[in-house]
Amino acid sequence: MSSRRDASPGRIRIIGGSLRNSRLDVPDSPGLRPTAERVRETLFNWLAPMIEGARCLDLCAGTGALGIEALSRGAAGVQFVERDARAAQALRDNLMRLKASAGQVSVQDAAQFLQGAPQQNELVFLDPPFALQLWSPLARQLEQGGWLTARAWIYVESPRHGPPELPAHWQLHREGHAGEVRFALYRRALPLS
């Protein structure tokens, strides 16, 4: 059982779908924490009924393992956002090698990216560097900026203790723990007007 710290640098593998067993090169970059295989497997078991054809946003993408796993399992497209130029280039290289043309990479800070013109997404991966404490501000931007469909799914990865403050209408669907990491899937449920 590997933790995110154990997986970097080196290689990690895609665990399901058309790209199953493909390896992703992981650069040696400070703070990069690829989501553990066991966590990705659990998450994508949860997402199995809704991933086909979904439009996805992978904020603070890092290695892009979550978004590439989504593409492998039939997502219509994934917008990857990564501020570290080295990590973003490694992600582009992996997408090119895997011929995953439905993945687009933006080298940009997530908060700046969310100030741009929105495209609604059915699924968002929100896994910022833990030290930066960005969950709440990014969640507000996702809500206020028009980035989510009315019933979007939002995956949030955070430290095990002290879950982040998120919008009240993001209803917890499922959650789990792996070491010091809490991973949770939320469903956006807007109140009826």
Side-chain angles (χ1 to χ4, degrees), residues 100-111:
S101 60
Q104 303 299 317
V105 181
S106 292
V107 185
Q108 200 170 6
D109 176 78

Side-chain angles (χ1 to χ4, degrees), residues 178-189:
E180 294 304 308
V181 173
R182 174 184 182 264
F183 55 98
L185 184 61
Y186 293 85
R187 183 80 189 264
R188 188 175 189 235

Side-chain angles (χ1 to χ4, degrees), residues 25 110 113 119 151 162-163 193:
D25 294 324
F113 177 84
Q119 179 174 4
R151 300 284 290 154
S193 42

Side-chain angles (χ1 to χ4, degrees), residues 136-156:
S136 297
L138 291 177
R140 278 192 302 275
Q141 282 189 273
L142 285 165
E143 276 297 322
Q144 295 166 1
W147 291 93
L148 303 171
T149 60
R151 300 284 290 154
W153 295 92
I154 306 101
Y155 170 75
V156 178

Side-chain angles (χ1 to χ4, degrees), residues 13-155:
R13 77 180 176 100
I14 299 302
I15 53 174
S18 63
L19 300 174
R20 184 181 178 155
N21 291 326
S22 297
R23 300 286 174 173
L24 303 180
D25 294 324
V26 178
D28 185 9
S29 190
L32 195 61
R33 303 171 294 101
T35 300
E37 273 188 29
R38 182 170 62 108
V39 172
R40 279 186 285 124
E41 184 171 12
T42 299
L43 170 63
F44 282 93
N45 285 341
W46 295 345
L47 291 172
M50 65 282 281
I51 196 72
E52 185 75 31
R55 178 81 199 145
C56 307
L57 176 61
D58 192 349
L59 282 175
C60 309
T63 64
L66 292 170
I68 293 173
E69 196 78 55
L71 288 172
S72 180
R73 293 165 186 256
V78 178
Q79 177 67 57
F80 298 90
V81 181
E82 175 52 49
R83 69 181 184 156
D84 182 272
R86 255 183 87 212
Q89 187 57 53
L91 176 50
R92 274 195 192 105
D93 293 345
N94 282 322
L95 288 168
M96 188 178 303
R97 183 175 45 79
L98 297 172
K99 297 178 176 58
S101 60
Q104 303 299 317
V105 181
S106 292
V107 185
Q108 200 170 6
D109 176 78
Q112 289 176 328
F113 177 84
L114 292 175
Q115 290 171 7
Q119 179 174 4
Q120 289 196 329
N121 295 275
E122 287 89 18
L123 174 60
V124 173
F125 300 107
L126 182 56
D127 180 17
F130 286 7
L132 299 181
Q133 301 284 315
L134 295 173
W135 299 276
S136 297
L138 291 177
R140 278 192 302 275
Q141 282 189 273
L142 285 165
E143 276 297 322
Q144 295 166 1
W147 291 93
L148 303 171
T149 60
R151 300 284 290 154
W153 295 92
I154 306 101
Y155 170 75

